[in-house]
Amino acid sequence: MASSAAGSDDHIEYYARFSDGKSAGARDATVTLGLSGLEIVQASPHVREVWSYANLRSGEPLRERAVDALLRSTASAGASLFVPGQPFAAALMMRAPHLTARAERWRHARPWIGLAVVIAATGAAVYVSGWSPARAIATGLPDSWRQRLGQQAITSMTEGYKKCVDPRGLDALRSLNDRLADATGTGRPFTIVVYDWPLTNAFAVPGDQIVMTQGLLAKAESADEVAGVLAHEMGHGIELHPETGIIRAVGLAAAVELMMGGSSGGLANIGLILAQLGSTRTAEREADLQALRVLRQAQISPAGLGNFFKRMLALEKKDDMPSQLKQFDILSTHPPTEERRALVERQEPYAATSALSKAAWNDLKGICAITVEADPVRTPADPRQPAP
Amino acid sequence: MSMDHADPMISGVERSQSTIEITFDPGADRLIGLGFTNGILQVLTLGIYSAWAKTEVRRKLWSFTRLNGEPLEYTGTGRELFIGFLIVFAVVLLPTFVGGAAISILFPGRADAVTAYQLAVYTLFLFLVGTAFYRAQRYRLSRTQWRGIRGALVGSAGQYGWTYFWTLAGPAVFITAAALLAAWSIGPDVGGTILLIGFIAALWILPWRANKLQRMMTDATRFGDRPVTYTGTPGPLYARYLYAWAGSAMVILAGIAISVQMFIASGAFQVWTQTKQLPSLEDGAKLAAVWISVLALCATITASYRASQIRHFARHTHFDGASFRSNVSGPRLAWLILSNWLLRIGAIATAISAGSVLIYVTGAIPKAGTTDAARIGTATLDVIFIVVPMVVMSAVATAFAQFRSTRYLVASLSLDGVVDIDTIMQNQDAAPKRGEGLAQVFDIDGF
Ligand SMILES: [Zn+2]
């Protein structure tokens, strides 16, 4: 490191080791910071070459406190130059600012900032447009898959409860089901199963299947109210809400797996919680609109729908029901009662008949007079015919 | 520094026999700042950045490692790692995931179908883990260079994966079959005994197996065009293994004896036999203390075996005219592993507490009765408050832990003897195009 011109680094010769990249050997060399590039002189054999500053690449970005520099030139493939000592690195920073840590950091960060902006913009666009990928996939699911998904959901949710199979009750249920299902205009048959379960509840599961509890039948004051609840659940089914919910949950779990490099765990559950919270209000309004359409088509009064949900919400506030049960459908419906009542009242009046005859309504209420163990595996050969 | 012996000219080629000194840059940056930046970018890009983060950490660690004062270079890129991961995700992980979902939909409630599927997946994964190790090592060596000369791993990843697989699965299948046969022909007690003793005995295959796998990997390693060779035999490992095995067995037996003694002495056992009442909290805490000590002791014993294995592997690894030597010590390795664990736990605990304080201060707790939009908003805020500090802090802890491990392992390594550096030529084999993928998915690629 002999310096010949103090005060200027122009003529300082720095000791360096030059490797040609063909063998692991290194030759002693001297390097000077020239006007347009590094002037490298190898000792033996005596070779002189110039690496222009623009072509320089550094193994690690240059810093003030770097103790050495490892350099390459894009014009000289394979070759590398190792210059020990802090002064050279500091002097080179002035000549080749693109090798500094700051420049390198910015170059490195730029595409990532761009990507973050794109992700945020895409998220915002999806959110604003209301397009749902999960819904799109749900629409494409084959019917047999939806059936099986629903069976699984029913099996896991109704575990420990018996299925209600009183023949006269089943007849009444079937006639109500037929009247509503025909009115949906979708041509899809619905399966409705009643379980001997004291909780007041009804929920739609994939595959156009609906589970209703004995507790709900007991609390309902008329067949119209039950019809309203069933129409609402059919509305969920028509809109594919149960399928969409499951796909959204699975998709989020997969996305989290992808993000965490396949070794996630706890974070997947956070995704699931968010998925459950997501867009329930929109879904409820959609189900209500479908329900009103179905009830009108079936010529059943929409008053039952409004009355029942209103009463149940009032009850829910009093009840000290275990909070984890509130996630089930009718108890998690949170469109304000006002809004729902307004929706029902806005309906043009139409000629309506009672959903069921008095006798049939009594039969339906008594459907749990005979119960059977719900078998865990049921082939959905004839989903409308509950197992005897 | 290097000591060059200028040998006389041999057939026109100048030969220089040099020693190589392996050092770890003592002034190296602790990577805490880098870990922090990585964590933030990981959050902003929903985790996609992690491949680039890993690359940045490696570049630093490699550059801190010096041979005769000149740094190693890591030339891999985040893009290679990311593409490798995407491919494995699409080819292995996604089909497994979808297959599992399909099985449980097609056979609802059939636990046996799910179990059979899981067994098949685990078997496949056990094979893939060995393959993954090999491929990861191949990728890293091909992206490691010194003075522009690349490392390489020749040989077949599948062959390594198969050896990795059968040396574990073979004994397991054999013992299980023997136990089933005994259970069926003599009685279930005999079968159970054979199963238990068989699996304990099968542990003795491990040193042999480790040595065999090490040989496969080392003998296929190249620096430039020069091979690395391995001459180790499993024999010397067994004495160490006996100590570790017997030591752990004694510690565990002592743990059992102390717990039994504690339970009978305190009367908790008698109470339990009569009333099925669980032991008190105090007894529970004592029991936990005993077993945490047992675990810590066993971990120390295991670490001392692992240290001796590292020394054995190094001693029998030769390059040109030199042999490696490692002075890794059991207690220091145990402390390194333990302290790195504490570091991670501490970092995550700090992050969770910080997040909780944020949630408490801002009052962002979802309340029933509010609108969905409000609940989603607060829940999202909560997730952000917890997840962001967690990701950032664990990125910091990971980078620092990797720095500490690398520093210790590199600093304790040396190369005895001389190497003819000048005649090592560049490796002409094609390097793999993509990153390690598989290893990343199984989270075994270390750093
Ligand atoms: Zn609903």
Side-chain angles (χ1 to χ4, degrees):
Chain A
M1 268 169 262
S3 70
S4 49
S8 156
D9 56 16
D10 283 6
H11 299 99
I12 302 177
E13 287 187 344
Y14 298 93
Y15 167 77
R17 292 180 67 76
F18 182 88
S19 307
D20 59 10
K22 297 187 181 77
S23 86
R27 270 163 249 144
D28 288 341
T30 57
V31 56
T32 17
L33 293 156
L35 274 182
S36 60
L38 292 181
E39 292 167 21
I40 304 159
V41 180
Q42 294 174 43
S44 69
H46 187 84
V47 184
R48 184 177 177 282
E49 60 182 298
V50 176
W51 283 5
S52 90
Y53 292 125
N55 289 342
L56 279 189
R57 297 290 177 268
S58 172
E60 279 296 298
L62 300 176
R63 287 164 208 279
E64 283 295 347
R65 50 197 160 78
V67 292
D68 49 36
L70 180 63
L71 302 167
R72 281 169 205 295
S73 167
T74 50
S76 180
S80 60
L81 187 75
F82 178 70
V83 192
Q86 195 266 342
F88 173 79
L92 183 59
M93 279 174 74
M94 316 288 278
R95 302 298 182 114
H98 68 284
L99 299 182
T100 59
R102 176 183 302 197
E104 145 98 18
R105 211 178 298 136
W106 172 235
R107 204 165 36 241
H108 185 81
R110 215 165 24 190
W112 292 103
I113 295 169
L115 183 68
V117 169
V118 168
I119 289 176
T122 314
V126 168
Y127 181 77
V128 168
S129 71
W131 181 72
S132 158
R135 176 70 175 271
I137 297 171
T139 314
L141 276 187
D143 278 352
S144 59
W145 284 57
R146 296 172 47 226
Q147 291 285 342
R148 287 176 198 273
L149 270 176
Q151 279 304 317
Q152 242 198 332
I154 293 179
T155 309
S156 64
M157 278 192 269
T158 62
E159 209 181 335
Y161 297 100
K162 291 182 173 172
K163 197 186 283 180
C164 301
V165 291
D166 178 82
R168 285 189 304 168
L170 286 178
D171 278 342
L173 181 62
R174 194 171 307 135
S175 80
L176 184 56
N177 186 355
D178 286 349
R179 187 168 170 187
L180 290 168
D182 286 346
T184 61
T186 59
R188 300 201 314 229
F190 278 83
T191 312
I192 305 172
V193 195
V194 180
Y195 281 84
D196 192 3
W197 188 353
L199 189 76
T200 309
N201 208 350
F203 46 90
V205 297
D208 302 325
Q209 305 177 76
I210 294 164
V211 172
M212 193 161 57
T213 63
Q214 197 274 327
L216 187 139
L217 285 176
K219 286 228 171 69
E221 284 176 356
S222 70
D224 281 10
E225 290 191 354
V226 175
V229 169
L230 287 178
H232 172 87
E233 298 306 331
M234 283 180 176
H236 280 306
I238 295 165
E239 297 280 356
L240 295 174
H241 291 151
E243 286 88 348
T244 308
I246 289 176
I247 286 164
R248 186 178 291 138
V250 170
L252 274 172
V256 171
E257 282 283 308
L258 180 64
M259 270 164 50
M260 306 307 290
S263 56
S264 71
L267 283 183
N269 296 323
I270 297 176
L272 290 182
I273 292 166
L274 274 182
Q276 280 186 341
L277 280 171
S279 67
T280 53
R281 185 172 178 177
T282 323
E284 291 311 319
R285 196 179 299 117
E286 284 174 353
D288 274 350
L289 287 174
Q290 288 283 2
L292 290 172
R293 189 180 63 79
V294 168
L295 289 173
R296 173 186 292 270
Q297 197 67 32
Q299 294 189 314
I300 298 172
S301 161
L305 175 70
N307 289 343
F308 186 79
F309 280 118
K310 197 167 114 190
R311 249 194 6 260
M312 285 309 109
L313 275 172
L315 268 180
E316 187 200 346
K317 288 202 181 98
K318 281 192 297 180
D319 273 9
D320 44 359
M321 205 165 270
S323 59
Q324 74 268 21
L325 293 176
K326 291 187 180 174
Q327 62 179 299
F328 283 143
D329 186 55
I330 65 158
L331 300 174
S332 73
T333 48
H334 278 283
T337 325
E338 264 317 300
E339 186 187 317
R340 185 172 254 156
R341 215 189 56 202
L343 196 66
V344 171
E345 277 171 5
R346 239 184 288 133
Q347 291 295 301
E348 296 269 322
Y350 52 85
T353 57
S354 180
L356 284 176
S357 69
K358 250 201 177 79
W361 169 230
N362 277 332
D363 288 345
L364 182 56
K365 281 176 101 92
I367 193 171
C368 293
I370 302 176
T371 58
V372 291
E373 290 288 345
D375 44 6
V377 192
R378 194 166 66 95
T379 47
D382 181 2
R384 303 188 71 176
Q385 213 66 54
Chain B
M1 289 296 277
S2 69
M3 214 170 69
D4 288 13
H5 309 255
D7 273 17
M9 305 276 275
I10 299 168
S11 61
V13 181
E14 189 197 7
R15 298 188 62 99
S16 69
Q17 301 281 336
S18 334
T19 57
I20 292 181
E21 193 189 23
I22 303 170
T23 50
F24 191 84
D25 183 2
D29 174 74
R30 292 325 190 235
L31 302 190
I32 290 169
L34 179 64
F36 191 80
T37 317
N38 283 347
I40 298 275
L41 279 170
Q42 253 158 283
V43 169
L44 286 182
T45 60
L46 304 182
I48 296 172
Y49 186 74
S50 62
W52 282 263
K54 193 168 275 185
T55 301
E56 290 300 302
V57 171
R58 283 185 195 171
R59 271 182 54 181
K60 292 284 179 199
L61 292 176
W62 263 242
S63 79
F64 297 156
T65 305
R66 306 221 153 182
L67 305 183
N68 286 351
E70 293 182 42
L72 292 186
E73 263 184 294
Y74 181 75
T75 60
T77 65
R79 182 201 301 255
E80 289 166 351
L81 276 189
F82 185 64
I83 292 176
F85 170 71
L86 275 190
I87 289 175
V88 172
F89 186 82
V91 172
V92 180
L93 226 53
L94 209 58
T96 313
F97 193 63
V98 171
I103 291 279
S104 57
I105 289 172
L106 294 177
F107 305 94
R110 290 283 300 276
D112 48 354
V114 176
T115 311
Y117 179 74
Q118 279 173 345
L119 197 67
V121 167
Y122 286 143
T123 309
L124 174 71
F125 277 14
L126 183 60
F127 169 71
L128 288 181
V129 163
T131 315
F133 269 125
Y134 203 85
R135 293 173 64 101
Q137 182 73 355
R138 164 137 65 209
Y139 174 73
R140 278 191 302 246
L141 276 172
S142 74
R143 297 300 186 273
T144 299
Q145 55 182 42
W146 184 71
R147 288 183 174 172
I149 303 297
R150 278 195 309 274
L153 187 68
V154 298
S156 142
Q159 207 171 7
Y160 185 88
W162 170 240
T163 308
Y164 187 95
F165 174 75
W166 76 257
T167 46
L168 279 188
V173 169
F174 178 75
I175 293 161
T176 311
L180 283 178
L181 192 68
W184 173 72
S185 58
I186 309 172
D189 289 353
V190 181
T193 313
I194 287 180
L195 198 66
L196 184 68
I197 294 177
F199 272 102
I200 291 173
L203 289 176
W204 287 82
I205 200 179
L206 291 179
W208 174 82
R209 176 175 182 269
N211 192 72
K212 184 176 179 64
L213 291 173
Q214 183 71 15
R215 177 191 303 278
M216 288 182 90
M217 191 85 97
T218 308
D219 279 347
T221 302
R222 305 279 181 270
F223 173 64
D225 62 350
R226 193 141 310 171
V228 181
T229 50
Y230 184 72
T231 55
T233 54
L237 286 176
Y238 272 96
R240 284 291 187 159
Y241 192 70
L242 176 66
Y243 299 146
W245 194 88
S248 302
M250 266 175 345
V251 170
I252 290 170
L253 285 176
I256 293 173
I258 292 171
S259 348
V260 166
Q261 156 73 23
M262 258 170 41
F263 266 65
I264 294 173
S266 73
F269 180 72
Q270 288 84 337
V271 171
W272 179 76
T273 49
Q274 280 159 29
T275 65
K276 300 284 170 212
Q277 200 182 357
L278 288 172
S280 70
L281 206 64
E282 197 188 330
D283 285 338
K286 275 188 201 162
L287 194 69
V290 168
W291 283 98
I292 288 171
S293 328
V294 165
L295 273 181
L297 270 173
C298 284
T300 313
I301 293 170
T302 311
S304 88
Y305 171 72
R306 276 181 57 188
S308 73
Q309 192 171 278
I310 292 174
R311 292 195 300 267
H312 175 82
F313 288 164
R315 191 162 50 240
H316 296 101
T317 301
H318 313 286
F319 181 69
D320 209 50
S323 304
F324 284 90
R325 184 161 49 82
S326 170
N327 57 19
V328 169
S329 89
R332 288 198 59 186
L333 189 65
W335 167 242
L336 184 74
I337 294 168
L338 179 73
S339 54
N340 277 347
W341 264 105
L342 292 176
L343 206 70
R344 276 168 223 260
I345 293 169
I348 288 174
T350 311
I352 291 176
S353 342
S356 311
V357 168
L358 267 178
I359 289 175
Y360 179 77
V361 168
T362 56
I365 298 154
K367 291 172 196 75
T370 49
T371 63
D372 279 348
R375 274 189 300 149
I376 293 171
T378 31
T380 312
L381 212 57
D382 289 349
V383 171
I384 290 171
F385 283 165
I386 296 286
V387 170
V388 171
M390 237 168 79
V391 171
V392 173
M393 285 306 285
S394 74
V396 170
T398 305
F400 186 45
Q402 288 176 350
F403 168 83
R404 298 180 71 225
S405 307
T406 312
R407 180 178 59 181
Y408 180 58
L409 291 176
V410 170
S412 53
L413 196 66
S414 53
L415 193 59
D416 294 347
V418 289
V419 176
D420 187 3
I421 295 179
D422 288 358
T423 59
I424 299 173
M425 305 306 282
Q426 179 65 290
N427 190 294
Q428 299 302 327
D429 295 340
K433 287 192 184 63
R434 283 184 298 273
E436 46 221 49
L438 260 184
Q440 231 175 318
V441 167
F442 293 131
D443 202 22
I444 51 171
D445 53 349
F447 42 81

